[in-house]
Amino acid sequence: PSVILEHRWLYKIGSSMTKKQKVKKLNTASLIKGGNEILLLTYGDGLIECLRAKEILLKNNLDCSIINISFFPAYKRFSKKLLEEISKYKSIYLIDTSPYEFGLLQGIVGELFIRKSKNKYKSVEVIAPPFLPCPTSAKLTEKYYPGPHQIITKICENLKIKKKINKKKLIF
């Protein structure tokens, strides 16, 4: 038996497969390679927001990599390979669409700091909704969940980029 937990916003995203495509073995995480300094670490529907932020950053000559954790069973949650890949980056942004407290990404950060006592991170930033119940109104959920604007704003603050971000067009 299988249980699939799908975030309610993922139903808006579509894709298709051809008959020639093969179903691959389920990986723990996938890497969308970009710049070597900035990493957006996420899972689930956070990937959509990270991809949108990456696209906007690229248009403004900033690049980042994204790691999307796609499979995290208890016995393999913090694989050595995943932690090694994360530790290659100097600035890590944890994009969580659930409250961060006691969640998957907080556990990964704990493991990183335990295993790498002499870390080289310039910053580890959390971009997540507050530790409160999620509102059900569509308008209120727009303010609850982090999106590309919050991600880009935090990156610009850390890099001391003094450019205003246009919320409507999401460009600098």
Side-chain angles (χ1 to χ4, degrees), residues 136-148:
T136 55
S137 136
K139 264 305 192 207
L140 291 175
T141 57
E142 287 176 15
K143 293 181 181 190
Y144 181 80
Y145 290 110

Side-chain angles (χ1 to χ4, degrees), residues 5 27-29 41-43 67-84 86 102-112 115:
L5 301 175
N27 292 321
T28 303
L41 180 62
T42 193
Y43 64 94
I67 291 181
N68 179 51
I69 302 168
S70 53
F71 180 64
F72 36 90
Y75 69 90
K76 199 177 179 182
R77 186 161 291 178
F78 307 121
S79 74
K80 186 177 178 182
K81 187 176 178 181
L82 174 63
L83 294 173
E84 284 173 2
I86 294 168
F102 312 108
L104 173 71
L105 296 181
Q106 187 177 39
I108 287 176
V109 169
E111 284 295 312
L112 283 172
R115 295 178 187 209

Side-chain angles (χ1 to χ4, degrees), residues 7-24:
H7 191 279
R8 63 183 169 180
W9 297 116
L10 290 180
Y11 66 85
K12 296 178 182 180
I13 306 301
S15 65
S16 60
M17 286 182 69
T18 65
K19 290 183 179 184
K20 293 179 184 177
Q21 285 178 305
K22 293 182 181 179
V23 176
K24 295 180 181 179

Side-chain angles (χ1 to χ4, degrees), residues 1 36 49 71 73 79 85 98 100 108 111 117-118 131 167 169 171-172:
N36 295 322
E49 305 306 331
F71 180 64
S79 74
E85 185 62 38
S98 297
Y100 175 74
I108 287 176
E111 284 295 312
S117 59
K118 296 179 182 178
F131 193 58
K167 287 183 184 181
K169 294 182 181 178
I171 58 172
F172 287 43

Side-chain angles (χ1 to χ4, degrees), residues 95-162:
I95 315 304
D96 206 334
T97 57
S98 297
Y100 175 74
E101 293 82 356
F102 312 108
L104 173 71
L105 296 181
Q106 187 177 39
I108 287 176
V109 169
E111 284 295 312
L112 283 172
F113 283 98
I114 288 169
R115 295 178 187 209
K116 292 269 188 189
S117 59
K118 296 179 182 178
N119 67 58
K120 59 181 179 184
Y121 309 117
K122 286 182 184 175
S123 66
V124 176
E125 298 286 343
V126 176
I127 302 169
F131 193 58
L132 298 167
C134 175
T136 55
S137 136
K139 264 305 192 207
L140 291 175
T141 57
E142 287 176 15
K143 293 181 181 190
Y144 181 80
Y145 290 110
H149 179 261
Q150 291 91 339
I151 297 167
I152 294 166
T153 300
K154 185 60 83 174
I155 291 171
C156 287
E157 285 172 6
N158 286 352
L159 295 176
K160 296 181 174 55
I161 296 173
K162 296 184 181 186

